[in-house]
Amino acid sequence: MTNACYFTVFKAFNFATGVARQSLSSNCNLKSPFKCSFRKMHMEINKESDSRGALIVLEGLDRCGKTTQCSRLLSHLEELGHSVESWRFPDRNTGVGQMISSYLANKSHLDDHAIHLLFSANRWEKRSLMESKLRSKTTLIVDRYSFSGVAFSSAKGLDLEWCKAPEKGLLAPDLVLYLDISPEKAAERGGYGDERYEQLEFQKKVAQSYRTLCDSTWKIIDATRPVEDVEKQLKQIVMECVLTCQKGKPLSQLWEN
């Protein structure tokens, strides 16, 4: 697939999103004698129907412990009887994901802009299923999401706002857990260096990009502590989020403003 194809896909995403928004806006402005009644009926729907699963994202540098903690959170919520699934991006089982996997394993080479759009497309591939799962009251524990895509690409020198643009319209997490560890400490952990991005100097740039993206809604977790201590802290934070979503917290989109 050529770079032109990637940008064509990107433009198609923007076009489709624009059409959907225009359609929604038109439908909302229709004059109807039943408009007020419909709104009243909607507000009278049992609160239970608004209950949903939580979208919980774990972020951080390579080898910070995300995968381990995702697995432990999954087991914890299952033991409590919650419907829960563990997801990971990139999802290497999709067509786009297989291209990304080849790139990360240094088996192929792509322009930095092209691989960024592929990572974004990989998340868009799962967007509809993600919303369906959440509305069916399944909580998703996600290992990396849009923030990783933006942090890693901007660390290569790409414009931050350009990197964020194709992510707009994806679902916004209810909770972002950032496992904080220095690049030097992460480099000491087993398996470091197996993939393309696991290089100390580059990870330092990624850490700086993450600091730019971090806001007050993120929870910063000291990932240098013992695994069990990190797990205990995460469990408490996650349960609060899950209960909030069960009460009917509305879904929102990334970087709406």
Side-chain angles (χ1 to χ4, degrees):
M1 186 180 292
T2 65
N3 289 349
C5 291
Y6 300 139
F7 284 99
T8 298
V9 172
F10 176 40
K11 289 178 181 178
F13 284 145
N14 284 341
F15 176 76
T17 303
V19 170
R21 287 174 177 169
Q22 183 178 9
S23 175
L24 179 59
S25 176
S26 298
N27 289 338
C28 290
N29 291 328
L30 288 175
K31 301 293 184 179
S32 170
F34 302 105
K35 188 173 181 180
C36 293
S37 297
F38 175 79
R39 287 180 176 175
K40 182 177 180 181
M41 289 172 61
H42 179 72
M43 294 179 67
E44 291 175 351
I45 293 176
N46 191 302
K47 276 290 183 182
E48 180 66 20
S49 66
D50 295 326
S51 177
R52 64 171 178 85
L55 178 54
I56 299 167
V57 172
L58 276 74
E59 290 282 4
L61 300 179
D62 290 340
R63 307 294 168 176
C64 68
K66 300 182 311 307
T67 302
T68 296
Q69 294 300 337
C70 282
S71 177
R72 294 187 176 214
L73 284 173
L74 176 71
S75 298
H76 177 64
L77 291 175
E78 286 179 335
E79 290 172 1
L80 294 177
H82 293 275
S83 174
V84 57
E85 292 182 9
S86 179
W87 285 27
R88 185 175 186 175
F89 287 106
D91 183 340
R92 306 190 190 204
N93 296 316
T94 70
V96 171
Q98 290 173 15
M99 296 176 67
I100 294 173
S101 183
S102 176
Y103 170 83
L104 291 176
N106 288 303
K107 295 179 181 179
S108 64
H109 299 279
L110 292 168
D111 175 82
D112 289 340
H113 296 82
I115 190 61
H116 180 78
L117 294 178
L118 279 180
F119 271 102
S120 182
N122 189 233
R123 287 182 279 275
W124 277 100
E125 286 181 297
K126 306 299 292 289
R127 200 267 189 210
S128 294
L129 180 60
M130 176 179 282
E131 181 170 352
S132 176
K133 291 285 186 180
L134 294 173
R135 293 194 183 281
S136 67
K137 304 180 184 180
T138 296
T139 286
L140 302 180
I141 306 295
V142 183
D143 185 344
R144 293 202 182 286
Y145 195 50
S146 297
F147 311 102
S148 282
V150 175
F152 278 73
S153 290
S154 60
K156 298 177 185 178
L158 301 187
D159 179 74
L160 184 73
E161 293 304 316
W162 185 92
C163 293
K164 290 168 67 174
E167 307 294 316
K168 293 180 180 180
L170 291 172
L171 295 178
D174 297 297
L175 175 65
V176 177
L177 299 165
Y178 182 75
L179 301 190
D180 191 25
I181 187 173
S182 72
E184 292 81 5
K185 285 289 186 182
E188 296 173 1
R189 297 187 170 183
Y192 193 88
D194 289 346
E195 290 198 329
R196 182 183 292 264
Y197 293 140
E198 292 180 347
Q199 305 297 328
L200 181 57
E201 291 306 312
F202 181 69
Q203 291 287 315
K204 289 179 180 179
K205 295 178 181 178
V206 173
Q208 181 58 48
S209 294
Y210 268 127
R211 283 192 283 273
T212 301
L213 292 171
C214 179
D215 60 33
S216 60
T217 66
W218 288 32
K219 301 296 183 181
I220 310 300
I221 311 298
D222 182 358
T224 64
R225 294 179 301 149
V227 174
E228 293 74 17
D229 291 349
V230 174
E231 178 185 3
K232 182 178 180 181
Q233 183 180 4
L234 293 183
K235 285 179 179 178
Q236 180 179 354
I237 298 172
V238 165
M239 281 310 305
E240 292 175 357
C241 177
V242 169
L243 292 175
T244 298
C245 292
Q246 287 180 341
K247 294 177 182 178
K249 177 185 176 184
L251 287 171
S252 59
Q253 296 181 352
L254 272 176
W255 298 307
E256 288 182 303
N257 299 322

